[in-house]
Amino acid sequence: MKRREFIRQTSCGMGAAWLGVKGFTASAFALPRKFSASDTVTIGKTGITTSRLAMGTGTVGSGHHSHQTALGVKGLSDLLLNGHDQGLRFFDAADTYGSHPHVAEALKHLRRDQVTVLTKTASRDAAGIRADLDRFRRELGTDYLDICLMHCVTEGDWTEQYRGAMDVLSEAKEKGIIRAHGCSCHTIEALRAAARSPWVEVDLVRINPVGSHMDADPAIVVSVLQEMKAAGKGIVGMKILGQGDMRNRQDEAIRYALSLGVLDAFTIGAESKSEQQDLIRRIAAA
C-alpha cells in the first residue's frame, strides 16, 4: 500500500489526534431560537430538503463495519425506521461503513422521496467512481442517490488530482443518477481546497468545541466553514460528539453545533432507540 493511501485510510478510520478538552459549558453558546432534530433544512444550494439531524451509520466506521452495522441488518434498519417515525429524514451511509444493506432494508418500508440518502465513495479514479455508482444503487435498492461524496479526502490539491473522478460525478448529476456531489474532508488543507472549489456542493466536515478528531483547531475550521457558507455550499457536520470523547458533555457539543450558524445539518450515529430518542430530546432542549 502506498504511504499516501495508508495515511488516508488511517485518517478515515481513526480520526485526527484529540487536541484536548477546553473549558466550555453548554451555556457559553447562545442560540437565537429553539431547534428540533426534525426541522426541515435545505442543504446549501442543492435544493435538497431534509431533517436537521442525520442518522449516522458509521461510528468508528472502517473496513465495511461500524458500531451501527454491528446491530445487524434488521437492528439498524429498525433504528432508521424508528428515527423516521420521529421525523428524521436523513440517512448517512458509506461504502466504508458497510451500511448499504441496512439502509436498503429500511428504504423498502418508506417512500423514496421522503428520505435523503447520502453515501460516500473511496474511489479516486473515473472507472472506480462509475463502478461504485452502479453498485451503490444496486446495494441500496434505489434508482438514484441524493448526495454522493468523495470520502475522506486528505490532499491539499485533491481537486486537481482527482478531476477525472469529479467529472464522472458531475456527469452522474446531469443524468439524474445523483442529485448533488461533494466530499468529506480529513485534513485542513483538503477542507480549504473544498471551500475554494466551485465543484463542491456539499461538504461533510468534522466539528466540535474541543477539537476532537478534527482537521484543526475549531476556530480555524469554523473560519473555513464560514467561507463555504458564503459561497452557498451545503455543510453537514460530523464528529459532533468527538467520536465519543464528549459522550458526557453532549449538551455542550449539540449547543455548539447549533450556535455556529454554518451547519445546514449534522450527523450523529446512535446505537439504540433509547440513544436516538435522547439525541432528539437534547436537541429540542438546547
Side-chain angles (χ1 to χ4, degrees):
M1 180 183 292
K2 294 181 180 179
R3 181 175 182 273
R4 173 181 289 166
E5 181 68 8
F6 173 79
I7 291 171
R8 183 178 68 81
Q9 291 190 7
T10 301
S11 176
C12 279
M14 299 302 294
W18 183 20
L19 302 181
V21 175
K22 300 177 181 179
F24 290 120
T25 61
S27 60
F29 309 118
L31 299 183
R33 59 182 178 83
K34 285 289 188 180
F35 293 90
S36 169
S38 61
D39 285 341
T40 298
V41 301
T42 302
I43 307 299
K45 293 182 178 179
T46 66
I48 296 171
T49 57
T50 190
S51 59
R52 184 176 304 282
L53 178 63
M55 291 180 279
T57 64
T59 302
V60 193
S62 64
H64 304 284
H65 183 270
S66 73
H67 289 185
Q68 283 73 34
T69 60
L71 299 172
V73 171
K74 186 177 188 306
L76 180 49
S77 172
D78 285 350
L79 185 60
L80 295 172
L81 290 172
N82 184 73
H84 188 274
D85 288 343
Q86 309 304 312
L88 306 186
R89 300 291 185 262
F90 201 166
F91 292 1
D92 172 24
D95 188 34
T96 303
Y97 310 156
S99 57
H100 288 169
H102 311 69
V103 172
E105 181 60 30
L107 290 177
K108 291 177 183 178
H109 306 279
L110 302 170
R111 276 181 44 186
R112 179 63 182 88
D113 62 357
Q114 290 186 344
V115 184
T116 300
V117 177
L118 179 154
T119 192
K120 314 172 193 80
T121 171
S123 293
R124 295 294 189 260
D125 59 74
I129 295 287
R130 286 194 184 94
D132 279 355
L133 289 174
D134 289 340
R135 176 169 60 88
F136 290 3
R137 286 181 293 156
R138 288 196 304 271
E139 291 175 348
L140 288 160
T142 181
D143 293 333
Y144 68 95
L145 309 172
D146 293 287
I147 303 171
C148 188
L149 306 180
M150 294 184 65
H151 199 181
C152 194
V153 293
T154 58
E155 299 84 357
D157 64 347
W158 72 268
T159 56
E160 297 301 324
Q161 277 198 56
Y162 305 132
R163 174 55 59 183
M166 294 159 62
D167 287 345
V168 171
L169 287 168
S170 295
E171 177 185 320
K173 181 184 174 184
E174 291 175 4
K175 293 180 176 179
I177 293 171
I178 65 175
R179 297 176 65 195
H181 45 64
C183 63
S184 69
C185 297
H186 283 250
T187 67
I188 191 63
E189 293 80 13
L191 188 68
R192 286 179 170 139
R196 294 191 299 266
S197 172
W199 179 86
V200 174
E201 298 173 313
V202 180
D203 191 275
L204 184 64
V205 61
R206 303 187 289 185
I207 186 72
N208 56 71
V210 298
S212 176
H213 298 273
M214 279 179 55
D215 302 327
D217 183 84
I220 294 173
V221 172
V222 169
S223 70
V224 180
L225 298 187
Q226 289 170 338
E227 180 184 347
M228 284 185 168
K229 188 74 170 180
K233 300 184 187 300
I235 306 173
V236 180
M238 63 172 167
K239 303 297 184 199
I240 301 300
L241 303 181
Q243 199 166 295
D245 286 331
M246 295 192 72
R247 65 175 60 87
N248 296 321
R249 302 173 64 185
Q250 293 184 55
D251 292 337
E252 296 169 50
I254 289 169
R255 282 187 68 92
Y256 177 73
L258 294 170
S259 73
L260 292 173
V262 294
L263 302 181
D264 298 315
F266 52 85
T267 180
I268 301 177
E271 297 177 37
S272 67
K273 291 180 181 178
S274 61
E275 281 190 9
Q276 188 178 72
Q277 294 296 136
D278 185 59
L279 282 171
I280 293 170
R281 180 192 62 78
R282 289 177 185 274
I283 293 169

